[in-house]
C-alpha cells in the first residue's frame, strides 16, 4: 500500500491522473542535460604548408621580378684604352717612345697605342715582340702595361726599340762618361732636356755588330777623330753609335 501511495503522490505532483499519462509524458520529454550524446569530431580545415615546396597560393598572382636598379652594372661602359691595347699584335711597330720626362721611369709619348706603322719606315720607334709575358729589360728593351679599371684585365706589351740614323736620343753625362737613354727619342735641336738628362745624343749609325764591337767601330772614315759613345742593343746584335749633338 505504501508503494502505491508513493506513485500516486508523484502523479499528483506532476499533474497526472494515472500511469498511462505518465508514460506519455516521459515519451515526449527531451533527454536530460546529463545524458551523453554521441561524439562526432568536426572536420578541421588543414592549411597546406607551402614553405617546404616554395609553392604559392594558387589564388594569388606570381610577384613581378624587381627591376635592376642599376642597368649599367650588367653592361659596363667599354674601356677605349683597353680596346687599343688589345688591338695590338706581336710584330706590330708603333710610333711610340720614352719622352724622358719620367726620369728613370718610362714616360710613353702617348696614353694608348696608336695604329701600327710600317716597321720599314722611319716613324717606327718600337716593335712589339710579345704580349702578356715576362718582358726582358736589357739595353733597348722595355714594356708597356695597362690595367683596365672597368674590366680589371691587364695587357702587357713587350717592346724593342727601333733606331734610325740621324735621329736623336737623350743622354746623361758625368765627366767623360755618358749613359744613353735607349728608349727615348727627342728632336735634334739644342733645347733644355728633362732632368736627370743633360745631353742630346745624335745617332750617327746603326750597324750589325762585329765581334768585340765598341765605339772604335763607329768611325765613319779613316782618321775620324770624332768622339763616339756606343751601345750594343738587340741582345748584342746591333751597334748603336752616337755623338753629342752639335747642331743649332
Amino acid at each position: 500500500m505504501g508503494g502505491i501511495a508513493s506513485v500516486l503522490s508523484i502523479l499528483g505532483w506532476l499533474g497526472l491522473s494515472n500511469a498511462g499519462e505518465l508514460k506519455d509524458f516521459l515519451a515526449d520529454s527531451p533527454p536530460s542535460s546529463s545524458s551523453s550524446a554521441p561524439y562526432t569530431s568536426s572536420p578541421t580545415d588543414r592549411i597546406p604548408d607551402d614553405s617546404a615546396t616554395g609553392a604559392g597560393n594558387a589564388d594569388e598572382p606570381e610577384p613581378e621580378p624587381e627591376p635592376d636598379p642599376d642597368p649599367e652594372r650588367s653592361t659596363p661602359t667599354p674601356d677605349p684604352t683597353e680596346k687599343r691595347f688589345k688591338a695590338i699584335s706581336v710584330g706590330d711597330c708603333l710610333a711610340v717612345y720614352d719622352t724622358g720626362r719620367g726620369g728613370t721611369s718610362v714616360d710613353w709619348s702617348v696614353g694608348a697605342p696608336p695604329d701600327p706603322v710600317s716597321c720599314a719606315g722611319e716613324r717606327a720607334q718600337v716593335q712589339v715582340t710579345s704580349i702578356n709575358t715576362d718582358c726582358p729589360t736589357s739595353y733597348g728593351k722595355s714594356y708597356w702595361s695597362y690595367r683596365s679599371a672597368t674590366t680589371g684585365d691587364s695587357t702587357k706589351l713587350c717592346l724593342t726599340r727601333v733606331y734610325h740614323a740621324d735621329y736623336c736620343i737623350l743622354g746623361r753625362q758625368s765627366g767623360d762618361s755618358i749613359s744613353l737613354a735607349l728608349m727615348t727619342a727627342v728632336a735634334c735641336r739644342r733645347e733644355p732636356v728633362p732632368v736627370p738628362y743633360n745631353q742630346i745624343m745624335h745617332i750617327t749609325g746603326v750597324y750589325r755588330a762585329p765581334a768585340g764591337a765598341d765605339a772604335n767601330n763607329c768611325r765613319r772614315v779613316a782618321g775620324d777623330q770624332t768622339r763616339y759613345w756606343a751601345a750594343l742593343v738587340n741582345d748584342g746584335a746591333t751597334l748603336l753609335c752616337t755623338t753629342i749633338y752639335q747642331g743649332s
Side-chain angles (χ1 to χ4, degrees):
M1 293 296 293
I4 293 173
S6 298
V7 171
L8 292 176
S9 297
I10 294 172
L11 290 174
W13 181 75
L14 293 174
L16 302 175
S17 59
N18 55 50
E21 291 181 357
L22 176 61
K23 182 178 179 181
D24 293 338
F25 176 79
L26 293 175
D28 294 336
S29 299
S32 170
S33 61
S34 62
S35 302
S36 297
Y39 175 76
T40 303
S41 62
S42 61
T44 301
D45 292 333
R46 183 177 182 276
I47 300 174
D49 182 5
D50 296 328
S51 61
T53 62
N57 191 325
D59 296 332
E60 295 182 1
E62 291 290 334
E64 294 292 333
E66 295 184 4
D68 188 346
D70 186 6
E72 295 184 357
R73 180 176 57 187
S74 56
T75 54
T77 303
D79 184 340
T81 300
E82 180 183 42
K83 183 178 180 181
R84 299 298 304 174
F85 269 85
K86 290 188 178 297
I88 300 301
S89 301
V90 173
D92 286 346
C93 286
L94 307 173
V96 174
Y97 55 88
D98 177 14
T99 66
R101 291 191 292 268
T104 56
S105 299
V106 174
D107 175 61
W108 296 110
S109 55
V110 291
D115 291 335
V117 297
S118 171
C119 292
E122 292 189 352
R123 293 184 61 204
Q125 299 296 317
V126 295
Q127 184 172 28
V128 180
T129 55
S130 60
I131 297 175
N132 293 334
T133 60
D134 291 334
C135 300
T137 55
S138 57
Y139 292 145
K141 296 180 185 291
S142 189
Y143 63 89
W144 191 7
S145 61
Y146 176 76
R147 183 179 185 277
S148 172
T150 302
T151 66
D153 294 338
S154 295
T155 307
K156 187 176 184 180
L157 308 179
C158 301
L159 305 175
T160 295
R161 183 75 160 82
V162 178
Y163 299 99
H164 305 282
D166 295 326
Y167 276 51
C168 289
I169 62 176
L170 294 170
R172 181 170 56 185
Q173 183 172 15
S174 178
D176 287 337
S177 175
I178 297 180
S179 298
L180 301 176
L182 294 170
M183 298 302 294
T184 65
V186 65
C188 293
R189 57 176 179 262
R190 298 309 305 179
E191 62 182 14
V193 297
V195 176
Y197 305 106
N198 53 15
Q199 289 292 359
I200 295 174
M201 306 301 295
H202 181 227
I203 300 174
T204 60
V206 183
Y207 309 110
R208 183 186 300 273
D214 59 22
N216 291 321
N217 296 103
C218 293
R219 293 190 176 96
R220 289 168 284 183
V221 295
D224 186 356
Q225 299 298 311
T226 304
R227 180 73 184 272
Y228 294 98
W229 286 265
L232 291 171
V233 296
N234 294 334
D235 299 322
T238 301
L239 175 65
L240 180 70
C241 297
T242 70
T243 62
I244 295 175
Y245 181 70
Q246 301 295 334
S248 60

